[in-house]
Amino acid sequence: MTALQAGAATIVDETVQRPEGARHYLLAQPATPVAGKLPLVILLHGHAASANLTFGKGKIDDPAAAWLAVADREGLLVIAPDGAKGSDDKQGWNDCRADAPTNPKTDDVGFIAAMIDQAVAQHNADPSRVYLSGASNGGGMVYRAAIEMGPRLAAVAVSSMLMPTKNLCAAPKRALPVLVAHGTEDKIAPYAGGEVGHFLLTGRGSGLSAEDSVKYWRELAQLPSTPTITKVPHRDADDKTALVRYVWGSDPNGTQVEFLKMENAGHVQPSIAHNLSWLVQAVLGKQNGDVEFADETWAFFKDKCAP
């Protein structure tokens, strides 16, 4: 086990034994020790990505790396695990899409549960304040975890992913606080729903529309149909994207559903400090720069606890 400094947080390499062998993850801890039990946030990367990329140690300046500053500022544990390789030899997650044959076949719900157990036993994680956030295929895995291990989770967040059209998983029985962010110009997980992927990325299944995905969880929570709507202040007139925040449920301590609609944005999280290159945006679509998605997500998570 090795440790290194990354911004203000300290990153430690960890493994947990699973039926398929040792599974690897990175654990970020506050640089300054924090008394008491610590909230735990688990970040699930997208298809073909990695734990290293999530924590800013790859070729792309992933917006998820902003969680390292949040970990130190707020006194959190943040885990970035590696997925498993599927039939396309790309690292990802066994989410609920029945029509995604390139997904790995691993028990990734069991892997998430094992990481939580290890963090509670070894790193003083608070079992009542466990949160998941995932992007793209990682977001699909968050939906699966929300369905299959909901009582262990205080809240979840999904960016750039749709609820599956053809579902391997049973219908969820327990509502959860859910934050969803999706770009209206997402060409990989299309905002209006349909086939996931592009001409070079096949076998990735299909999904409901972004709005129907949000509606699914809002109706499960039996929240009123009318949201509170806020337009996020725009920082840069040259940025042709915009953010609109829809929130169902008025109690930040209770079950809320939030939808961050990213107008004219693509398959990428918004960020102020972590700007993707023009080449990456040419592939994934435009990136909004009005909020730091890690901060937006933690603001949604922080007051919520599992029962």
Side-chain angles (χ1 to χ4, degrees), residues 89-108:
D89 204 36
K90 304 294 185 183
Q91 198 161 254
W93 304 99
N94 186 11
D95 63 23
C96 285
R97 286 173 290 171
D99 54 352
T102 54
N103 274 351
K105 305 305 181 187
T106 42
D107 176 11
D108 290 326

Side-chain angles (χ1 to χ4, degrees), residues 41-44 67 131-135 138 142 157-158 269 293 297 301:
V41 178
I42 300 176
L43 308 176
L44 303 182
W67 276 102
Y131 311 94
L132 295 187
S133 180
V142 168
V158 173
Q269 294 176 348
F293 189 63
T297 305
F301 283 169

Side-chain angles (χ1 to χ4, degrees), residues 32-236:
T32 303
V34 178
K37 294 187 180 297
L38 281 65
L40 172 63
V41 178
I42 300 176
L43 308 176
L44 303 182
H45 62 70
H47 179 255
S50 67
N52 277 333
L53 185 67
T54 302
F55 276 171
K57 299 196 292 179
K59 295 180 180 179
I60 297 173
D61 189 10
D62 194 314
W67 276 102
L68 297 174
V70 179
D72 197 61
R73 185 184 74 228
E74 302 289 339
L76 313 177
L77 299 172
V78 180
I79 283 176
D82 278 312
K85 287 188 176 181
S87 62
D88 59 359
D89 204 36
K90 304 294 185 183
Q91 198 161 254
W93 304 99
N94 186 11
D95 63 23
C96 285
R97 286 173 290 171
D99 54 352
T102 54
N103 274 351
K105 305 305 181 187
T106 42
D107 176 11
D108 290 326
V109 170
F111 177 36
I112 293 168
M115 287 188 291
I116 294 170
D117 290 342
Q118 193 158 290
V120 170
Q122 298 180 11
H123 298 286
N124 210 27
D126 184 347
S128 71
R129 300 188 71 195
V130 176
Y131 311 94
L132 295 187
S133 180
S136 194
N137 178 206
M141 190 62 222
V142 168
Y143 279 140
R144 180 165 198 163
I147 291 168
E148 296 188 359
M149 56 185 299
R152 298 197 67 179
L153 305 175
V156 300
V158 173
S159 62
S160 305
M161 194 53 191
L162 308 166
M163 285 286 289
T165 304
K166 298 178 181 179
N167 207 328
L168 283 172
C169 302
K173 297 179 180 179
R174 179 179 180 272
L176 272 175
V178 178
L179 163 63
V180 175
H182 211 103
T184 61
E185 297 302 313
D186 191 327
K187 305 302 184 186
I188 295 175
Y191 187 86
E195 292 297 314
V196 174
H198 53 65
F199 70 100
L200 293 176
L201 184 63
T202 59
R204 302 305 299 147
S206 58
L208 306 175
S209 72
E211 293 182 10
D212 282 344
S213 298
V214 173
K215 182 181 178 183
Y216 187 98
W217 292 95
R218 192 263 301 167
E219 289 185 341
L220 181 65
Q222 298 183 322
L223 293 169
S225 59
T226 303
T228 299
I229 304 173
T230 308
K231 189 159 187 175
V232 176
H234 205 42
R235 294 169 52 89
D236 182 359

Side-chain angles (χ1 to χ4, degrees), residues 290-301:
D290 291 331
V291 300
E292 200 64 65
F293 189 63
D295 291 333
E296 178 80 13
T297 305
W298 179 242
F300 181 78
F301 283 169

Side-chain angles (χ1 to χ4, degrees), residues 16-23 106-108 110-111 114:
V16 62
Q17 291 298 323
R18 299 292 304 146
E20 64 271 18
R23 298 290 297 268
T106 42
D107 176 11
D108 290 326
F111 177 36

